[in-house]
Amino acid sequence: MQKISVHDLMDLRLLHQIETEPNPKGLCEISLSGRMVLVCLGRDKGEVRVLQDEVSWIRVIKASDLDVTCVALSNNGRLLAAASTKGTLNRLFDTLSGMLLQEMRRGSAFERTEIHSLFFCFDAEWLAVTSNKGTVDILSLKDAKRNNMSLPSLSYNKALSNVLL
């Protein structure tokens, strides 16, 4: 196991240690505004841990059956995007409920792609995805039809609308 250490910046006192699976890329994200949200790899393959409000509670999200290779957190910490080693699906989750909101397919399902980065625009209306294929995909999170996305169900679309408001 590997660990992520959370320290108090005033006196560098150790506040919390979080065990993760091996994390050679050092995957970890922190929200930029609003409440404190931190995401990192979980203890098991495909898991992402979400820590909120100064590590007062932890949620584990099963983001993939494969190893997670890239994560991104929206500015307000409400949305989590994750990609796996296969690189064909990017998944979008609500960090409060852990619910899968969207699956965004990029490229062919049969061609592995290494996702280099995921990045939300400020208002989380768009997600940028870069890969080893020399592409940058800009995906709409409000209008799935623009992306040829497969959506788990209509209720998830309503849930995403509530998160983005």
Side-chain angles (χ1 to χ4, degrees), residues 84-152:
S84 71
T85 53
K86 192 170 182 183
T88 55
L89 280 180
N90 299 300
R91 292 188 171 107
L92 185 68
F93 297 91
D94 179 342
T95 59
L96 289 178
S97 68
M99 182 169 48
L100 175 65
L101 299 172
Q102 288 184 358
E103 288 185 333
M104 300 159 280
R105 182 170 299 283
R106 58 142 329 278
S108 165
F110 304 106
E111 183 180 3
R112 287 188 179 265
T113 301
E114 182 181 333
I115 302 300
H116 289 297
S117 67
L118 299 167
F119 189 81
F120 287 95
C121 72
F122 184 78
D123 63 1
E125 186 173 341
W126 302 92
L127 180 70
V129 182
T130 65
S131 74
N132 67 331
K133 301 296 182 187
T135 61
V136 176
D137 295 310
I138 308 295
L139 304 170
S140 172
L141 301 180
K142 285 193 174 182
D143 186 0
K145 293 176 187 169
R146 291 182 177 186
N147 307 323
N148 258 343
M149 291 182 188
S150 61
L151 297 175

Side-chain angles (χ1 to χ4, degrees), residues 42-106:
R43 291 182 182 151
D44 297 321
K45 179 185 284 195
E47 285 184 353
V48 176
R49 295 176 92 182
V50 179
L51 296 87
Q52 299 199 14
D53 301 323
E54 298 181 25
V55 197
S56 63
W57 66 272
I58 299 173
R59 172 176 303 286
V60 176
I61 295 174
K62 182 68 172 175
S64 177
D65 291 332
L66 305 171
D67 286 325
V68 173
T69 59
C70 198
V71 293
L73 194 59
S74 62
N75 287 330
N76 66 3
R78 188 69 192 268
L79 297 175
L80 164 69
S84 71
T85 53
K86 192 170 182 183
T88 55
L89 280 180
N90 299 300
R91 292 188 171 107
L92 185 68
F93 297 91
D94 179 342
T95 59
L96 289 178
S97 68
M99 182 169 48
L100 175 65
L101 299 172
Q102 288 184 358
E103 288 185 333
M104 300 159 280
R105 182 170 299 283
R106 58 142 329 278

Side-chain angles (χ1 to χ4, degrees), residues 29-49:
E29 290 276 323
I30 298 175
S31 58
L32 298 176
S33 64
R35 69 191 197 291
M36 195 288 289
V37 179
L38 179 144
V39 297
C40 61
L41 295 183
R43 291 182 182 151
D44 297 321
K45 179 185 284 195
E47 285 184 353
V48 176
R49 295 176 92 182

